[in-house]
Amino acid sequence: RDSMTTLTFYRKVIEETGQANREAAKRATAAVLHALRDRLTPEEADQVAAQLPRELKTVWEAGEGPGRRPVKMHRKEFYERVKAEVGLASLRESRWYTVAVFVALKEQLSPGEAEDVWAQLPKDLKEVWEEA
């Protein structure tokens, strides 16, 4: 299975959201990846990073601190966080971007890795991951 390039990843996000603005897509992708990373254990976050193209790996790891604990976030807090980091107008936009990034990420990760990520999410975020 061909892993995606960073460009293909962003294209997928743009295609899924129908938002043509590449800069917005990049910012939103970073915000969703950061929120997801912080929701995972550092070990799991490292395993995801290992399967990302180099440029996205850098985005994923930005702001990662040593000895971090997983941040308990449910779906609404997750959307709130993405909204705040990107400066989106609504939680609805947050949701679109979250689903879009999850879709692209699931295509990028091995099935086993995608399963591991899913296992660490709370029930309401599991549903978003499954829907993506």
Side-chain angles (χ1 to χ4, degrees):
R1 203 180 47 121
D2 257 4
S3 64
M4 289 191 224
T5 61
T6 300
L7 191 63
T8 346
F9 194 98
Y10 288 134
R11 278 201 194 121
K12 185 83 197 160
V13 171
I14 288 166
E15 185 189 308
E16 288 290 324
T17 52
Q19 302 285 328
N21 182 337
R22 182 133 174 263
E23 267 321 297
K26 285 177 89 157
R27 283 201 310 274
T29 296
V32 174
L33 291 179
H34 294 157
L36 180 61
R37 176 200 72 202
D38 289 354
R39 186 64 190 77
L40 302 172
T41 61
E43 300 76 44
E44 189 51 52
D46 286 348
Q47 288 170 17
V48 170
Q51 296 193 5
L52 294 175
R54 199 178 63 223
E55 206 182 309
L56 277 179
K57 190 177 177 161
T58 307
V59 171
W60 175 268
E61 289 169 350
E64 172 72 302
R68 173 181 70 72
R69 316 215 24 99
V71 181
K72 295 288 178 213
M73 274 181 283
H74 283 280
R75 185 163 55 195
K76 187 163 188 302
E77 288 99 33
F78 194 97
Y79 293 160
E80 291 283 4
R81 202 184 128 161
V82 170
K83 177 176 180 256
E85 191 176 324
V86 190
L88 295 170
S90 68
L91 284 184
R92 212 173 74 197
E93 279 185 78
S94 250
R95 182 175 177 279
W96 290 338
Y97 276 119
T98 299
V99 171
V101 173
F102 281 7
V103 167
L105 194 56
K106 277 165 74 174
E107 287 191 12
Q108 173 68 29
L109 299 176
S110 67
E113 193 48 47
E115 186 70 29
D116 289 349
V117 169
W118 176 85
Q120 290 199 3
L121 298 176
K123 189 172 179 295
D124 56 5
L125 274 173
K126 274 187 165 82
E127 287 165 8
V128 182
W129 183 259
E130 285 161 11
E131 180 192 327

Coordinates of all heavy atoms in Angstrom, one line a residue, residues 79-128:
Y79 N -13.3 19.3 19.4 CA -13.8 20.3 18.4 C -13.4 21.7 18.9 O -13.0 22.5 18.1 CB -15.3 20.2 18.2 CG -15.7 18.9 17.5 CD1 -17.0 18.5 17.5 CD2 -14.8 18.1 16.7 CE1 -17.5 17.3 16.9 CE2 -15.2 16.9 16.1 CZ -16.6 16.6 16.2 OH -17.0 15.4 15.6
E80 N -13.7 22.0 20.2 CA -13.4 23.3 20.8 C -11.9 23.6 20.6 O -11.6 24.8 20.3 CB -13.7 23.3 22.3 CG -15.2 23.2 22.7 CD -16.0 24.5 22.5 OE1 -15.4 25.5 22.0 OE2 -17.2 24.5 22.8
R81 N -11.1 22.6 20.9 CA -9.7 22.9 20.8 C -9.2 23.2 19.4 O -8.4 24.1 19.1 CB -9.0 21.6 21.3 CG -7.6 22.0 21.8 CD -6.8 20.8 22.2 NE -5.6 20.9 21.5 CZ -4.5 20.3 21.9 NH1 -4.5 19.5 22.9 NH2 -3.4 20.3 21.1
V82 N -9.7 22.4 18.4 CA -9.4 22.6 17.0 C -9.9 24.0 16.6 O -9.1 24.8 16.0 CB -10.0 21.5 16.1 CG1 -9.9 21.8 14.6 CG2 -9.4 20.1 16.4
K83 N -11.1 24.3 17.0 CA -11.7 25.6 16.6 C -10.8 26.8 17.2 O -10.5 27.7 16.4 CB -13.1 25.7 17.3 CG -13.8 27.0 17.0 CD -15.2 27.0 17.6 CE -15.9 28.3 17.4 NZ -16.0 29.1 18.6
A84 N -10.4 26.6 18.4 CA -9.5 27.7 19.0 C -8.2 27.8 18.4 O -7.7 28.9 18.1 CB -9.4 27.4 20.5
E85 N -7.5 26.6 18.1 CA -6.2 26.7 17.5 C -6.2 27.3 16.1 O -5.3 28.0 15.7 CB -5.5 25.3 17.5 CG -4.1 25.3 17.1 CD -3.3 24.0 17.1 OE1 -3.6 23.1 18.0 OE2 -2.4 23.8 16.3
V86 N -7.3 27.0 15.3 CA -7.3 27.5 13.9 C -8.0 28.8 13.8 O -7.8 29.6 12.9 CB -8.1 26.5 13.0 CG1 -7.9 26.8 11.5 CG2 -7.6 25.1 13.2
G87 N -8.9 29.1 14.8 CA -9.7 30.3 14.7 C -10.8 30.1 13.8 O -11.2 31.0 13.0
L88 N -11.5 29.0 13.9 CA -12.6 28.7 13.0 C -13.9 29.4 13.6 O -13.9 29.7 14.7 CB -12.9 27.2 13.0 CG -11.8 26.3 12.3 CD1 -12.1 24.8 12.6 CD2 -11.7 26.6 10.8
A89 N -14.8 29.6 12.7 CA -16.0 30.3 13.0 C -17.0 29.4 13.9 O -17.7 30.0 14.8 CB -16.8 30.8 11.8
S90 N -17.0 28.1 13.7 CA -18.0 27.3 14.4 C -17.4 25.9 14.7 O -16.5 25.5 14.1 CB -19.2 27.2 13.5 OG -18.9 26.4 12.4
L91 N -18.1 25.3 15.6 CA -17.8 23.9 15.9 C -18.1 23.0 14.7 O -17.5 21.9 14.6 CB -18.5 23.4 17.2 CG -18.0 23.9 18.5 CD1 -18.8 23.3 19.6 CD2 -16.5 23.6 18.7
R92 N -19.0 23.4 13.9 CA -19.4 22.6 12.8 C -18.2 22.5 11.8 O -17.9 21.4 11.3 CB -20.6 23.2 12.1 CG -21.5 22.2 11.4 CD -22.7 22.8 10.8 NE -22.4 23.6 9.6 CZ -23.2 24.5 9.1 NH1 -24.3 24.8 9.7 NH2 -22.8 25.1 8.0
E93 N -17.5 23.6 11.6 CA -16.3 23.6 10.8 C -15.2 22.7 11.4 O -14.5 21.9 10.7 CB -15.7 25.0 10.6 CG -16.4 25.8 9.6 CD -15.7 27.1 9.4 OE1 -14.7 27.2 8.7 OE2 -16.2 28.1 10.0
S94 N -15.1 22.8 12.7 CA -14.2 21.9 13.4 C -14.5 20.5 13.1 O -13.5 19.7 13.0 CB -14.4 22.1 14.9 OG -13.4 22.8 15.5
R95 N -15.7 20.1 13.2 CA -16.1 18.8 13.0 C -15.8 18.3 11.5 O -15.2 17.2 11.3 CB -17.6 18.6 13.2 CG -18.1 17.2 13.0 CD -19.6 17.1 13.4 NE -19.9 15.7 13.1 CZ -20.2 15.2 11.9 NH1 -20.2 16.0 10.9 NH2 -20.5 13.9 11.7
W96 N -16.0 19.2 10.5 CA -15.7 18.8 9.2 C -14.2 18.5 9.0 O -13.8 17.5 8.4 CB -16.0 20.0 8.2 CG -17.4 20.3 8.0 CD1 -18.5 19.4 8.2 CD2 -18.0 21.5 7.6 NE1 -19.7 20.1 7.9 CE2 -19.4 21.4 7.5 CE3 -17.4 22.8 7.2 CZ2 -20.2 22.4 7.1 CZ3 -18.3 23.8 6.8 CH2 -19.7 23.6 6.8
Y97 N -13.4 19.4 9.6 CA -12.0 19.2 9.5 C -11.5 18.0 10.2 O -10.7 17.3 9.8 CB -11.2 20.5 10.0 CG -11.1 21.5 8.9 CD1 -11.7 22.8 9.0 CD2 -10.5 21.2 7.7 CE1 -11.6 23.7 8.0 CE2 -10.3 22.2 6.7 CZ -10.9 23.4 6.8 OH -10.8 24.3 5.8
T98 N -12.1 17.7 11.4 CA -11.7 16.6 12.2 C -12.0 15.3 11.4 O -11.1 14.4 11.3 CB -12.4 16.6 13.5 OG1 -12.1 17.8 14.3 CG2 -12.0 15.3 14.4
V99 N -13.2 15.2 10.9 CA -13.6 14.0 10.1 C -12.6 13.9 8.9 O -12.1 12.8 8.6 CB -15.0 14.0 9.6 CG1 -15.3 12.9 8.7 CG2 -16.0 13.9 10.9
A100 N -12.4 15.0 8.2 CA -11.5 15.0 7.0 C -10.1 14.5 7.3 O -9.5 13.7 6.6 CB -11.5 16.3 6.3
V101 N -9.6 15.0 8.4 CA -8.2 14.6 8.8 C -8.2 13.2 9.2 O -7.3 12.4 8.9 CB -7.6 15.6 9.9 CG1 -6.3 15.0 10.4 CG2 -7.5 17.0 9.3
F102 N -9.2 12.7 9.9 CA -9.3 11.3 10.3 C -9.3 10.4 9.1 O -8.7 9.4 9.0 CB -10.5 11.1 11.2 CG -10.4 11.5 12.6 CD1 -9.2 12.2 13.1 CD2 -11.4 11.2 13.6 CE1 -9.1 12.6 14.4 CE2 -11.2 11.6 14.9 CZ -10.1 12.3 15.3
V103 N -10.1 10.8 8.1 CA -10.2 10.0 6.8 C -8.8 9.9 6.2 O -8.3 8.8 5.9 CB -11.1 10.7 5.8 CG1 -11.0 10.1 4.4 CG2 -12.6 10.6 6.2
A104 N -8.1 11.0 6.1 CA -6.8 11.0 5.5 C -5.8 10.2 6.3 O -5.0 9.4 5.8 CB -6.2 12.4 5.3
L105 N -5.9 10.3 7.6 CA -5.0 9.6 8.5 C -5.2 8.1 8.5 O -4.3 7.3 8.5 CB -5.2 10.2 9.9 CG -4.1 9.8 11.0 CD1 -2.7 10.2 10.5 CD2 -4.4 10.5 12.3
K106 N -6.5 7.7 8.4 CA -6.8 6.3 8.3 C -6.3 5.7 7.1 O -5.9 4.5 7.0 CB -8.3 6.1 8.5 CG -8.7 6.1 9.9 CD -10.2 6.2 10.1 CE -11.0 4.9 9.7 NZ -12.4 5.1 10.0
E107 N -6.2 6.5 6.0 CA -5.7 6.0 4.7 C -4.1 5.8 4.8 O -3.5 5.0 4.2 CB -6.0 6.9 3.6 CG -7.4 6.8 3.2 CD -7.7 7.5 1.8 OE1 -6.8 7.9 1.1 OE2 -8.9 7.7 1.5
Q108 N -3.6 6.7 5.7 CA -2.1 6.7 5.8 C -1.6 5.6 6.7 O -0.5 5.1 6.5 CB -1.7 8.1 6.3 CG -0.3 8.3 6.7 CD 0.6 8.3 5.5 OE1 0.2 8.6 4.4 NE2 1.9 7.8 5.7
L109 N -2.3 5.3 7.8 CA -1.9 4.4 8.8 C -2.1 2.9 8.4 O -3.1 2.7 7.7 CB -2.6 4.7 10.1 CG -2.3 6.1 10.8 CD1 -3.2 6.2 12.0 CD2 -0.8 6.3 11.0
S110 N -1.3 2.0 8.9 CA -1.6 0.6 8.7 C -2.9 0.3 9.5 O -3.2 1.0 10.5 CB -0.5 -0.2 9.3 OG -0.4 -0.1 10.7
P111 N -3.7 -0.7 9.1 CA -4.9 -1.1 9.8 C -4.6 -1.3 11.3 O -5.4 -0.9 12.1 CB -5.4 -2.3 9.1 CG -4.8 -2.3 7.7 CD -3.5 -1.6 7.9
G112 N -3.5 -1.9 11.6 CA -3.2 -2.2 13.1 C -3.0 -0.9 13.8 O -3.5 -0.8 15.0
E113 N -2.3 0.0 13.2 CA -2.1 1.3 13.9 C -3.4 2.1 14.0 O -3.6 2.7 15.1 CB -1.1 2.1 13.1 CG -0.5 3.3 13.8 CD 0.0 3.0 15.2 OE1 0.7 2.0 15.4 OE2 -0.4 3.7 16.1
A114 N -4.2 2.1 13.0 CA -5.5 2.8 13.1 C -6.4 2.2 14.2 O -7.0 2.9 14.9 CB -6.2 2.7 11.7
E115 N -6.3 0.9 14.4 CA -7.0 0.2 15.4 C -6.5 0.6 16.8 O -7.3 0.9 17.7 CB -6.8 -1.3 15.2 CG -7.5 -2.2 16.1 CD -9.0 -2.2 15.8 OE1 -9.4 -2.0 14.7 OE2 -9.8 -2.4 16.8
D116 N -5.2 0.8 16.9 CA -4.6 1.2 18.2 C -5.0 2.6 18.6 O -5.2 2.9 19.7 CB -3.0 1.2 18.1 CG -2.5 -0.2 18.0 OD1 -3.2 -1.2 18.3 OD2 -1.3 -0.4 17.8
V117 N -5.1 3.5 17.6 CA -5.5 4.9 17.8 C -7.0 4.8 18.3 O -7.3 5.4 19.3 CB -5.4 5.7 16.5 CG1 -6.1 7.1 16.7 CG2 -4.0 6.0 16.2
W118 N -7.8 4.1 17.6 CA -9.2 4.0 17.9 C -9.4 3.5 19.4 O -10.2 4.0 20.1 CB -9.9 3.0 16.9 CG -11.3 2.7 17.2 CD1 -12.4 3.4 16.8 CD2 -11.8 1.6 18.0 NE1 -13.5 2.8 17.3 CE2 -13.2 1.7 18.0 CE3 -11.2 0.5 18.7 CZ2 -14.0 0.8 18.7 CZ3 -12.0 -0.4 19.4 CH2 -13.4 -0.3 19.4
A119 N -8.6 2.5 19.7 CA -8.7 2.0 21.1 C -8.4 3.0 22.2 O -9.0 2.8 23.3 CB -7.7 0.8 21.2
Q120 N -7.7 4.1 21.9 CA -7.4 5.1 22.9 C -8.4 6.2 23.0 O -8.3 7.1 23.8 CB -6.0 5.6 22.7 CG -4.9 4.6 23.1 CD -3.6 5.2 23.3 OE1 -3.4 6.4 23.3 NE2 -2.6 4.4 23.6
L121 N -9.3 6.2 22.0 CA -10.3 7.3 22.0 C -11.5 7.1 22.9 O -11.9 5.9 23.0 CB -10.7 7.6 20.6 CG -9.6 8.0 19.6 CD1 -10.2 8.1 18.2 CD2 -8.9 9.3 20.0
P122 N -12.1 8.1 23.4 CA -13.3 7.9 24.2 C -14.4 7.6 23.2 O -14.3 7.8 22.0 CB -13.6 9.3 24.8 CG -12.9 10.3 23.9 CD -11.7 9.5 23.4
K123 N -15.5 7.0 23.7 CA -16.6 6.5 22.9 C -17.1 7.5 21.8 O -17.2 7.1 20.7 CB -17.7 6.1 23.8 CG -18.8 5.3 23.1 CD -19.9 4.8 24.0 CE -20.9 4.0 23.3 NZ -21.8 4.9 22.4
D124 N -17.3 8.7 22.2 CA -17.8 9.7 21.2 C -16.8 10.0 20.1 O -17.2 10.3 19.0 CB -18.4 10.9 21.9 CG -17.5 11.7 22.8 OD1 -16.3 11.3 22.8 OD2 -17.9 12.6 23.4
L125 N -15.5 10.0 20.4 CA -14.5 10.2 19.4 C -14.3 8.9 18.6 O -13.9 9.0 17.4 CB -13.2 10.7 20.0 CG -13.1 12.2 20.2 CD1 -11.8 12.6 20.9 CD2 -13.1 13.0 18.8
K126 N -14.5 7.8 19.2 CA -14.4 6.5 18.4 C -15.4 6.6 17.3 O -15.1 6.1 16.2 CB -14.8 5.3 19.3 CG -13.6 4.8 20.2 CD -14.1 3.5 20.9 CE -12.9 2.7 21.4 NZ -12.4 3.1 22.7
E127 N -16.6 7.1 17.6 CA -17.6 7.2 16.6 C -17.2 8.0 15.4 O -17.5 7.7 14.2 CB -18.9 7.7 17.2 CG -19.6 6.7 18.1 CD -20.7 7.3 19.0 OE1 -21.0 8.5 18.8 OE2 -21.2 6.6 19.9
V128 N -16.5 9.1 15.7 CA -16.1 10.0 14.6 C -15.0 9.3 13.8 O -15.0 9.4 12.6 CB -15.5 11.3 15.2 CG1 -15.1 12.3 14.1 CG2 -16.5 12.0 16.1

